[in-house]
Amino acid sequence: MSINVSHITKTYGSQKALDDVSFSIKSGEIVGFLGPNGAGKSTMMRILTTYLNADHGEALINGHDVFTQSREVQAAIGYLPESNPLYPDMYVKEYLTFSASVYKIADPIARIKLVIEETGLESHQNKKIAQLSKGYKQRVGLANALLHQPKVLILDEPTTGLDPNQLVEIRSLIRKVAKNTTILLSTHIMQEVEAMCDRVIIINKGKIVADDYLRNLKSDEIQLIEVEFDYKVEPELLQRIPMVREVVDLHNFKYQLKFETKVDQRAGVFDFAHDNQLKILSLNKRNKNLEAMFQELTGN
């Protein structure tokens, strides 16, 4: 296993940030690490990157203990924190040369040239970091994280604050580097998880509430139908629709109906409305996506 976390607990005062957390990640996987604010994501990442000690438990990166073998762990990981600390007065290539000297890279010139090419920084390598856009600063942070050829890459909110074009660029870049690296990715953007990750771990209030492959979490047997009427309808009436499992009032005369079947239930909803003299203004079907799963598991 590239990452192996066993019974990790971390407490701040009376608050348990992590409560007996365990998971493992195989080599070559791209895993999305999700949770609402304050769920414990950043605490877990700081522990894995040796910035923070746990109160109890064990964590291994490529077989190295994060608490007793911090140097070996730091050599094995690349880390892009949410804040992405850079030296704005340095030039891009100068900054990477400085980092290469810290890592004691054997052939720094060749390695810097390669990561600049991999991250698309060729035309910006002689610019000051302060002059770069947010997207290109993220590229510099990623280039720095990749410089020493880590086996594990830990990315904390790598796409925060990026515009749609920058999102596509960074997503493509992460997919590219994932060919040779295990990636643990924390983000609030569900579309990014669905576009990049093989597997999802969801944490809520310090506990793991889901850990599965994305294809299993996005079950096509969970069907959500959104229906809009021309006036308010009591949810109790809609509960009488055949096979409906749950009714949620979305307000403004809109309701979400949950079914556990692959068979399209829109015809049944239409027939029920007709029989009960209800006028439908809109009727839309969608399978349960990751965002709906996240909201259900985290109670938000």
Side-chain angles (χ1 to χ4, degrees):
M1 294 292 176
S2 287
I3 301 176
N4 194 8
V5 172
S6 181
H7 303 292
I8 288 289
T9 297
K10 179 65 180 178
T11 303
Y12 297 106
S14 61
Q15 178 69 35
K16 270 192 177 179
L18 296 171
D19 188 359
D20 196 34
V21 171
S22 298
F23 62 87
S24 58
I25 300 175
K26 294 185 293 187
S27 178
E29 281 191 304
I30 308 177
V31 177
F33 194 48
L34 310 180
N37 289 333
K41 301 188 305 297
S42 292
T43 298
M44 188 73 253
M45 289 192 157
R46 287 170 186 154
I47 288 172
L48 291 176
T49 53
T50 76
Y51 283 91
L52 194 64
N53 282 327
D55 298 331
H56 305 286
E58 181 183 63
L60 305 176
I61 301 287
N62 274 13
H64 300 298
D65 191 306
V66 300
F67 307 123
T68 62
Q69 298 175 293
S70 58
R71 288 291 181 89
E72 291 85 349
V73 170
Q74 290 164 11
I77 62 171
Y79 180 38
L80 180 59
E82 183 179 2
S83 58
N84 190 13
L86 299 170
Y87 293 102
D89 291 332
M90 295 183 78
Y91 296 92
V92 171
K93 193 172 182 179
E94 178 189 15
Y95 171 65
L96 294 176
T97 301
F98 165 71
S99 293
S101 69
V102 173
Y103 286 122
K104 296 181 172 60
I105 291 173
D107 189 356
I109 294 175
R111 184 61 191 158
I112 290 167
K113 182 176 184 294
L114 183 59
V115 295
I116 283 175
E117 290 172 357
E118 284 182 335
T119 53
L121 286 167
E122 295 99 325
S123 61
H124 293 71
Q125 61 184 303
N126 296 316
K127 291 182 179 179
K128 279 192 173 183
I129 292 173
Q131 297 175 311
L132 302 180
S133 67
K134 176 72 183 288
Y136 273 96
K137 286 178 180 175
Q138 290 296 83
R139 287 172 182 259
V140 174
L142 194 52
N144 182 59
L146 293 168
L147 198 55
H148 58 299
Q149 297 178 275
K151 298 297 183 184
V152 175
L153 194 58
I154 296 178
L155 308 176
D156 193 358
E157 302 288 349
T159 56
T160 298
L162 302 184
D163 65 36
N165 290 330
Q166 292 170 335
L167 279 173
V168 172
E169 292 170 359
I170 295 299
R171 179 198 299 169
S172 175
L173 184 55
I174 291 171
R175 272 208 222 99
K176 183 179 176 182
V177 302
K179 293 176 182 177
N180 304 307
T181 312
T182 300
I183 295 181
L184 180 63
L185 167 72
S186 169
T187 180
H188 284 95
I189 305 172
M190 298 298 158
Q191 296 92 327
E192 296 306 297
V193 176
E194 292 183 305
M196 288 187 289
C197 297
D198 309 311
R199 181 176 143 215
V200 172
I201 296 172
I202 300 178
I203 187 170
N204 187 44
K205 298 179 181 177
K207 288 181 173 289
I208 301 293
V209 294
D211 181 356
D212 206 343
Y213 288 99
L214 201 54
R215 62 179 178 270
N216 296 332
L217 288 173
K218 294 167 64 178
S219 171
D220 60 359
E221 292 189 3
I222 303 296
Q223 184 180 149
L224 301 177
I225 291 179
E226 290 180 1
V227 57
E228 180 183 3
F229 300 102
D230 63 340
Y231 64 90
K232 183 174 178 60
V233 178
E234 292 302 321
E236 290 77 11
L237 175 62
L238 300 179
Q239 289 280 5
R240 291 162 47 192
I241 296 173
M243 297 183 68
V244 73
R245 293 290 179 267
E246 183 181 337
V247 177
V248 178
D249 187 346
L250 301 177
H251 307 297
N252 298 324
F253 311 152
K254 291 183 179 180
Y255 302 84
Q256 178 180 276
L257 312 177
K258 177 181 176 182
F259 299 86
E260 295 180 4
T261 175
K262 293 181 180 180
V263 180
D264 192 337
Q265 294 298 304
R266 284 177 294 181
V269 174
F270 183 85
D271 290 342
F272 180 87
H274 178 268
D275 293 344
N276 288 272
Q277 300 181 326
L278 303 175
K279 186 175 181 180
I280 291 178
L281 300 182
S282 65
L283 186 64
N284 299 294
K285 167 184 170 288
R286 62 187 177 89
N287 290 337
K288 192 169 188 178
N289 60 12
L290 183 61
E291 184 174 357
M293 176 70 71
F294 178 86
Q295 290 174 337
E296 182 178 299
L297 290 171
T298 60
N300 294 323

